[in-house]
Amino acid sequence: VKSVNPVVKDDESEPEMPKKSVLASKFHILEGIYKNLGEQNNAIYERELQLAGVEKEIAGAKGFFKAKQRKELQEQAEQLKTQIASMKQYLSSFVHGYGYKNVKEFLAEFKASKAEYADYQSAVAKWEQQTGNKAESDSMKARLQRKQQEVRERENSRQSHQHKNDRGAR
């Protein structure tokens, strides 16, 4: 009877799972900043539409009897212009708080990060197809579950150590 070795050695080793670059790993953070910028930009756009409407009303308020209305509308227009200017300034200070000189610099890094993340995702998909393995999800939910498991294990080991110390102390 011949002895058969159950371990079969492949000449072709399994390809290594792609690693995330630093820029690709920053993508989710940058995406959150980008969404905040988009919301702020939409708010600015709405104020600009309001300003256009007020300026249209000012143009329609002609005549001696509409002087009071025209004055109120002009004050409202000035307030809107001031608001818009401060909101635009906020955009710059917002990204400055994250270490970028201006919005343009941030957008350049976001675009590069998005491209690298897309490349990483396609490389992972290709790797999964080649190996038949599933890549561990990098989602927040998966990370949260891993952290919760680590905490449970730590608590269990801490409790077991406390019981041992308590018994010896009695």
Side-chain angles (χ1 to χ4, degrees):
V1 175
K2 262 188 175 176
S3 151
V4 179
N5 189 353
V7 178
V8 177
K9 194 172 186 179
D10 285 337
D11 289 339
E12 294 181 26
S13 63
E14 193 173 279
E16 192 174 315
M17 185 177 163
K19 302 264 190 263
K20 260 190 200 180
S21 69
V22 174
L23 200 54
S25 58
K26 287 172 64 175
F27 172 71
H28 291 295
I29 295 166
L30 296 177
E31 188 177 36
I33 297 169
Y34 182 77
K35 285 180 182 177
N36 288 341
L37 285 177
E39 290 169 3
Q40 184 71 15
N41 212 14
N42 286 338
I44 291 170
Y45 180 71
E46 289 174 13
R47 293 289 191 282
E48 287 174 340
L49 288 177
Q50 286 178 349
L51 179 61
V54 168
E55 288 175 341
K56 197 179 248 187
E57 285 184 55
I58 290 172
K62 293 183 180 179
F64 181 73
F65 296 108
K66 296 198 177 188
K68 183 178 177 183
Q69 181 187 11
R70 193 170 43 246
K71 183 180 177 190
E72 290 172 357
L73 289 172
Q74 286 173 338
E75 287 174 3
Q76 189 178 358
E78 286 304 313
Q79 285 178 343
L80 285 171
K81 285 178 184 176
T82 305
Q83 235 179 11
I84 291 169
S86 67
M87 290 171 88
K88 286 182 179 179
Q89 181 63 38
Y90 174 74
L91 285 178
S92 182
S93 65
F94 181 74
V95 294
H96 190 66
Y98 288 98
Y100 298 96
K101 291 179 184 174
N102 53 35
V103 176
K104 188 176 182 180
E105 182 182 293
F106 166 76
L107 290 175
E109 184 162 334
F110 174 71
K111 188 176 180 182
S113 174
K114 188 175 182 180
E116 281 205 23
Y117 186 73
D119 291 344
Y120 168 75
Q121 292 288 48
S122 64
V124 167
K126 184 179 178 183
W127 177 82
E128 286 177 347
Q129 191 177 34
Q130 287 175 346
T131 62
N133 295 341
K134 270 286 192 200
E136 190 174 307
S137 177
D138 195 32
S139 69
M140 289 296 266
K141 187 175 181 181
R143 290 192 330 208
L144 178 64
Q145 288 174 344
R146 282 195 304 265
K147 291 292 181 187
Q148 287 174 338
Q149 183 62 32
E150 289 174 16
V151 168
R152 273 188 239 119
E153 290 170 1
R154 235 182 289 135
E155 289 296 318
N156 289 340
S157 68
R158 189 176 298 150
Q159 287 174 353
S160 66
H161 285 91
Q162 287 175 348
H163 290 299
K164 289 177 185 174
N165 292 341
D166 287 345
R167 287 185 202 144
R170 290 183 194 165

